[in-house]
Structure formats: structure tokens, C-alpha cells
């Protein structure tokens, strides 16, 4: 499905927001502070259920207001309408599909797979293990139907084990939750490992097009010592975990080790190189999603010219042009587009969106 139209009221600096989108390329231009990034944020909120800019919901509605609303009209084999609202008294975002309340967000998110191509907010090379786990799990959520149920059940068992550790519960109580962690954690480990194997062949062509040299190695670390089974690792960690009050091993501690020419990537890359490698990893993930499901995700790119020099921006724009996705790209000026846009061109200034092409 593609995003056919975006509507909103009192979101960020927009009193009223309305955009009819192109199914391929949507270029959004305007000066800094005009609201370009907020448009991407609105799409991200509808597709992810959270902002990529802030955890403070009070900053999401327009100054002087205490609520906002957004709406996405999706076109495809079957048209869909997604809406969300948030007000000062609500505990969380309220979603609706076809006008009906959505109780479980995971039922809604597959309709609008949104990927943000931004090395600043997705620091895969120099970021934390949690950043890389989110990268893996977003991809798996959209391509592997079994993933979410196992992930959710594992997280529930993990929370219960942590609570039992803090309460000083007897070993028998821990065993009950550990068995659930083992059953579902081993499936998560298998799915993540397989996902990386399928993703790797798609990463190298993206790296080449972005002028990223070096031999790439991506090695999945399961979150416990490889010489032990998950059951053995959980049992041996009990004393330490009791003292700390949380579970120190398991798939929730997994990582994706990224090495180049045999060395940890973050130790030898310049900032510019790190950004290009991150773009390549994220774009390979988008390609994999399309090849696996046939679905074209939505890709958001915020002011890439500020992150790259002219030659590397040209390389990135060429790769974006080949990407099987609906693309939304923000720039200061249309003259920065490489090549010129064949899609929709929008101008944003002082919270007003105008379509130019």
C-alpha cells in the first residue's frame, strides 16, 4: 500500500495539514524550521506509533493546544484509513482503522511499514546494541509472521523473571519464567540469525553504490555465551542477576557485530563513512522487505545533503531512485535534488504545505 494522502490538525506548527502524495517520490522543500521534518515525523507516528524526535508528547501538539490528530489515507488493493489522536488527558496515542478503535497496535503497523533513513537517529555502526536489535526486529516484524508473537511472549516472561529476581523469589519461581524465555528466545535467535544471512547479499551492492570500501562482516551475537545453552546460561547467571535485579543474558541482550576488514567498524570509520554504511544497511533492509513480501515500504529521508558531500549525495540519490519504496525526502531547495524530481514537489513554510508539481 502507498500513502495517498496525509491530513492533520494542530500537529507541531501545523494548524491544518493536508498533502496528496505521489506513489513514488515526494520532495519536500523549505527553509530550516519551516516544518519539513515535522511532516516526516507525522508519517513516522502513523507507521510506528511513536516519534523519532521526542518522547515528550506535549511537544507534539501546536502551541496553545492540548491535542492533535493525524490521518493517513492508504491506497492499494483495498483502500484503508488510519487515524490517530492524542490529548493532554490520554495515557497514549489513540489509533483508529476505518473509523474503528484499534486495541493492539501490532495489528495496524503492517499496513504502513515506515523506515527512516537517518544515521543520526539510527546509529547502527557506533550506536548501542539496542539500536541494532531494533533494526533487526523491525525488519523481522514485517517479513516474518511468527516473529511478533514469540517476541511479545519472550518479553512478558523476561519482565516476570526480572520482577521475581527483585522480589527474591525462590528458584522454582524463576524456572517457570526461564522455560518460557528459553522456548521463545531460541526461536527469536534462529529468526534473527536467518534474517542476517538473507540480508547480507543485499548490503554489498548498496555499499558499492555508496562508495563504501572494505570487507564487511556482520556477526549476530545471541546475548549469551556461545559455549553454553540458553538454559545453562540462565541458571549460571541467577546469583548475579539477583544482585543486579535484572536478567543479564538472553536474546534481549543480543547484538549485531559489524566489522570491516577484520576490525570493529566504529573504531576505524570517519563520520562520513559511518553515515554511508548506515544508509547502505537501511536501504538493503528496505529492498529485502520488498523482495520478501512484495510490499513497497515508505522511506523517509531528512535533509541528506547536510550529511553528505556533493559526490556522495549524488550516489545516494541515485540509489534512492532505484529503491522499491514510496519516498519522502526533505531538502532546503529543489536545486539540491539529484536528479531533478519526477514525482511531487511540496513547499513548506510557516506551517503551510503547498504542492508545486
Amino acid at each position: 500500500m502507498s500513502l495517498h494522502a496525509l491530513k492533520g490538525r494542530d500537529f507541531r506548527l501545523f494548524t491544518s495539514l493536508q498533502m496528496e502524495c505521489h506513489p513514488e517520490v515526494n520532495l519536500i522543500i523549505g527553509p530550516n524550521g519551516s516544518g519539513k521534518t515535522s511532516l516526516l515525523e507525522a508519517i513516522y507516528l502513523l507507521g510506528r506509533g511513536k516519534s523519532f524526535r521526542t518522547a515528550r508528547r506535549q511537544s507534539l501538539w501546536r502551541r496553545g493546544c492540548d491535542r492533535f490528530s493525524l490521518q493517513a489515507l492508504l491506497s492499494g488493493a483495498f483502500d484503508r484509513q488510519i487515524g490517530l489522536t492524542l490529548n493532554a488527558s490520554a495515557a497514549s496515542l489513540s489509533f483508529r482503522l476505518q473509523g474503528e478503535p484499534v486495541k493492539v497496535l501490532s495489528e495496524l503497523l503492517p499496513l504502513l511499514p515506515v523506515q527512516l533513513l537517518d544515521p543520526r537517529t539510527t546509529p547502527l555502526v557506533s550506536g548501542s546494541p539496542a539500536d541494532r536489535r531494533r533494526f533487526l526486529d523491525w525488519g523481522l516484524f514485517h517479513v516474518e509472521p511468527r516473529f511478533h508473537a514469540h517476541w511479545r511472549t519472550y518479553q512478558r516472561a523476561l519482565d516476570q523473571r526480572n520482577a521475581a529476581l527483585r522480589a527474591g523469589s525462590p528458584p522454582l519461581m524463576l524456572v517457570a519464567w526461564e522455560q518460557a524465555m528459553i522456548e521463545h528466545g531460541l526461536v527469536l535467535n534462529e529468526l534473527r540469525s536467518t534474517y542476517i544471512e538473507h540480508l547480507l547479499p543485499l548490503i554489498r551492492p548498496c555499499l558499492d553504490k555508496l562508495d563504501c570500501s572494505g570487507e564487511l562482516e556482520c556477526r549476530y551475537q545471541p546475548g549469551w555465551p556461545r559455549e553454553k545453552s540458553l538454559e545453562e546460561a540462565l541458571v549460571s547467571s541467577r546469583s548475579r542477576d539477583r544482585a543486579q535485579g535484572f536478567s543479564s543474558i538472553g536474546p534481549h541482550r543480543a547484538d549485531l557485530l559489524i566489522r570491516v576488514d577484520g576490525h570493529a567498524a566504529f573504531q576505524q570509520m570517519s563520520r562520513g563513512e559511518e553515515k554511508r554504511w548506515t544508509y547502505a544497511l537501511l536501504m538493503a533492509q528496505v529492498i529485502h522487505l520488498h523482495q520478501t513480501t512484495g510490499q513497497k515500504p515508505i522511506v523517509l529521508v531528512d535533509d541528506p545533503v547536510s550529511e553528505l558531500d556533493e559526490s556522495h549525495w549524488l550516489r545516494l540519490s541515485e540509489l534512492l531512485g532505484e529503491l522499491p519504496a514510496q519516498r519522502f525526502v526533505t531538502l532546503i531547495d529543489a536545486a539540491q535534488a539529484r536528479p531533478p524530481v519526477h514525482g511531487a514537489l511540496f513547499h513548506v513554510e510557516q506551517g503551510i504545505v503547498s504542492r508545486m508539481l
Side-chain angles (χ1 to χ4, degrees):
M1 304 191 84
S2 64
L3 178 58
H4 175 70
L6 175 67
K7 300 180 181 180
R9 182 165 294 279
D10 296 325
F11 178 73
R12 290 291 190 177
L13 49 73
F14 295 99
T15 303
S16 179
L17 167 62
Q18 186 157 342
M19 271 180 77
E20 290 192 8
C21 310
H22 192 277
E24 297 292 336
V25 180
N26 297 269
L27 181 61
I28 303 165
I29 64 169
N32 289 329
S34 61
K36 302 189 303 296
T37 302
S38 295
L39 288 178
L40 302 189
E41 182 184 26
I43 299 170
Y44 193 91
L45 267 168
L46 286 158
R48 294 281 191 117
K50 61 182 179 180
S51 167
F52 63 81
R53 300 170 73 186
T54 182
R56 294 181 65 255
R57 60 181 187 170
Q58 294 89 342
S59 62
L60 295 176
W61 47 66
R62 190 167 57 87
R63 184 174 298 178
C65 301
D66 61 0
R67 62 174 284 127
F68 75 87
S69 63
L70 292 171
Q71 186 180 92
L73 301 178
L74 309 180
S75 61
F78 301 96
D79 292 347
R80 291 288 186 270
Q81 178 178 299
I82 298 173
L84 74 82
T85 58
L86 178 66
N87 58 56
S89 61
S92 61
L93 292 169
S94 175
F95 280 86
R96 303 181 77 86
L97 175 62
Q98 301 296 87
E100 297 296 324
V102 175
K103 295 181 179 179
V104 182
L105 188 58
S106 60
E107 297 177 0
L108 186 65
L109 299 186
L111 295 176
L112 196 64
V114 175
Q115 180 62 285
L116 176 69
L117 302 190
D118 191 338
R120 296 165 295 186
T121 56
T122 314
L124 297 180
V125 175
S126 62
S128 69
D131 292 316
R132 291 182 284 274
R133 285 195 299 274
R134 282 191 289 269
F135 165 75
L136 295 176
D137 291 350
W138 180 85
L140 277 167
F141 176 84
H142 287 288
V143 303
E144 174 50 67
R146 296 180 295 158
F147 170 76
H148 185 68
H150 287 287
W151 180 88
R152 183 179 55 198
T153 307
Y154 176 86
Q155 291 294 327
R156 186 182 301 121
L158 171 64
D159 291 342
Q160 294 293 343
R161 184 180 190 265
N162 286 343
L165 289 168
R166 291 190 292 269
S169 300
L172 282 176
M173 181 70 75
L174 295 178
V175 168
W177 301 118
E178 288 170 358
Q179 289 304 312
M181 289 176 66
I182 292 165
E183 177 185 352
H184 298 280
L186 290 176
V187 178
L188 290 180
N189 182 61
E190 177 189 355
L191 293 177
R192 286 169 171 171
S193 298
T194 302
Y195 180 72
I196 287 299
E197 291 177 5
H198 292 164
L199 196 62
L200 278 172
L202 301 175
I203 297 174
R204 186 70 256 175
C206 294
L207 291 171
D208 292 340
K209 290 178 181 178
L210 293 177
D211 192 28
C212 299
S213 60
E215 188 65 31
L216 170 68
E217 177 189 357
C218 288
R219 186 181 180 190
Y220 177 67
Q221 296 286 82
W224 70 90
R226 292 183 179 274
E227 65 272 14
K228 293 183 178 181
S229 68
L230 179 53
E231 181 176 10
E232 291 170 338
L234 283 168
V235 171
S236 64
S237 71
R238 283 178 188 166
S239 296
R240 180 179 68 251
D241 292 352
R242 282 189 187 277
Q244 297 177 146
F246 62 87
S247 302
S248 60
I249 60 95
H252 62 287
R253 307 282 288 185
D255 197 1
L256 178 64
L257 300 184
I258 302 174
R259 298 170 66 85
V260 178
D261 293 333
H263 302 284
F266 72 90
Q267 294 178 339
Q268 63 181 38
M269 284 187 184
S270 68
R271 290 184 62 187
E273 288 173 325
E274 179 181 341
K275 291 167 185 174
R276 300 199 305 276
W277 279 77
T278 300
Y279 278 124
L281 289 165
L282 292 169
M283 295 171 93
Q285 187 175 57
V286 169
I287 294 168
H288 178 264
L289 190 156
H290 176 67
Q291 289 184 352
T292 305
T293 68
Q295 190 169 8
K296 293 175 65 174
I298 292 176
V299 165
L300 312 177
V301 192
D302 191 23
D303 195 16
V305 174
S306 67
E307 298 292 311
L308 301 167
D309 59 32
E310 176 68 20
S311 65
H312 287 113
W313 162 229
L314 178 59
R315 287 176 174 270
L316 176 63
S317 63
E318 290 175 348
L319 190 50
L320 281 171
E322 302 169 2
L323 209 59
Q326 185 181 19
R327 287 138 287 171
F328 292 80
V329 184
T330 70
L331 296 171
I332 298 294
D333 192 283
Q336 296 174 321
R338 300 288 187 275
V341 174
H342 296 287
L345 176 64
F346 299 90
H347 181 260
V348 185
E349 192 159 6
Q350 297 181 345
I352 299 174
V353 183
S354 304
R355 182 162 178 168
M356 302 175 67
L357 289 175

